[in-house]
Amino acid sequence: MKPVLLVIAHGSRDPRHAATVQALVRRVRSLRPGVRVETGFLDFNIPSVQGVLESLAAQGVREVVALPLLLTRAFHAKADIPAVLRAAPPQLRIRQADVLGPSPLLLSALERRLYEAGLAPADKSSTGVVLASAGSTDPEAIAVIADIAREWRHTGWCAVRPAFASAALPRTEDAVRELRDLGCSRVAVAPYVLAPGFLPDRIARGAADADVLAGVLGAAPEVARVVLRRYDAATSARALLSVSA
């Protein structure tokens, strides 16, 4: 039996969040029908991560790969999720997979969303892009967003600037204004977030003066493929540890 894949999402009072997470999980299941995929939420939504883990243990499941549905390694990945996993039933063998980002596939998903919003590949050289993330107090997470923006710039865009909806600067509207001042013919905002909610709505408000606002990453096929890559890597690493032990 392959380990169960437990996708751990943050959760939100906004019902669009859970609906988007479930849509992504359905796509993951369609790509890998031989793997059981479950979903748990840290807060606001059900089922909770703890509840799913207890249910799996009661069903006789013994191996789980817990995958944080997060784009950067910030507080939730470093503290919240490990704490929940440590409280899991002792008969479960759990390995925490890496977060989704960074990944070239996520850049492809960002471009997919921009094209769906009205841009064309021929627009790249004249378009400045705001890479708008939720934000974090974790310096490592902020540095990763800046690195992604620099990498994405080299694929042909006029310019790419990072922005943050909370905890760090600049805000989306400030990055839009900077790209205007830089002379880009058009400005697009690409939300580097997985699902709708409070902070993505703040990003959308900050994009009021942009020419294009892309949708969230959501259930893009590239995101589903990253989920499975992280699952495969965690499963392989767990097997190697068992052999070496």
Side-chain angles (χ1 to χ4, degrees):
M1 291 290 292
K2 295 180 179 178
V4 170
L5 169 56
L6 173 58
V7 174
I8 300 178
H10 182 274
S12 171
R13 293 186 177 90
D14 189 322
R16 297 174 298 168
H17 175 90
T20 301
V21 170
Q22 297 296 356
L24 174 60
V25 168
R26 287 194 296 272
R27 187 179 287 275
V28 172
R29 289 181 179 134
S30 72
L31 292 175
R32 193 71 64 84
V35 173
R36 179 177 175 181
V37 186
E38 299 292 342
T39 310
F41 295 91
L42 289 173
D43 206 353
F44 302 115
N45 302 106
I46 55 174
S48 68
V49 177
Q50 186 65 27
V52 175
L53 291 171
E54 291 174 357
S55 176
L56 291 173
Q59 295 169 42
V61 171
R62 291 297 175 262
E63 297 190 16
V64 176
V65 169
L67 187 145
L69 201 62
L70 302 169
L71 295 171
T72 59
R73 271 185 50 77
F75 183 79
H76 293 305
K78 294 178 178 179
D80 285 350
I81 292 175
V84 172
L85 297 181
R86 284 194 295 270
Q91 61 266 45
L92 290 176
R93 293 187 293 274
I94 303 173
R95 184 164 183 83
Q96 182 176 331
D98 288 338
V99 297
L100 301 184
S103 168
L105 282 170
L106 295 179
L107 289 181
S108 297
L110 287 167
E111 295 205 3
R112 171 192 290 274
R113 295 304 189 220
L114 286 170
Y115 297 149
E116 290 171 350
L119 287 181
D123 298 327
K124 290 185 72 168
S125 62
S126 58
T127 301
V129 178
V130 177
L131 179 68
S133 77
S136 173
T137 57
D138 189 308
E140 178 187 350
I142 297 302
V144 166
I145 300 299
D147 288 344
I148 293 170
R150 283 192 292 270
E151 178 183 348
W152 203 15
R153 163 68 182 85
H154 294 312
T155 66
W157 297 100
C158 173
V160 179
R161 294 291 186 271
F164 307 94
S166 68
L169 296 174
R171 293 287 183 259
T172 301
E173 53 268 33
D174 299 325
V176 169
R177 188 162 46 250
E178 180 185 351
L179 290 171
R180 292 279 188 216
D181 294 342
L182 194 62
C184 298
S185 298
R186 66 181 62 78
V187 176
V189 174
Y192 190 59
V193 294
L194 286 166
F198 176 75
L199 292 178
D201 284 349
R202 180 180 288 178
I203 290 172
R205 291 193 296 272
D209 292 331
D211 301 293
V212 173
L213 170 62
V216 299
L217 292 170
E222 297 88 349
V223 178
R225 288 166 58 195
V226 176
V227 168
L228 289 171
R229 287 189 180 186
R230 299 294 183 257
Y231 169 81
D232 290 340
T235 301
S236 298
R238 183 196 55 77
L240 288 173
L241 287 173
S242 297
V243 170
S244 63

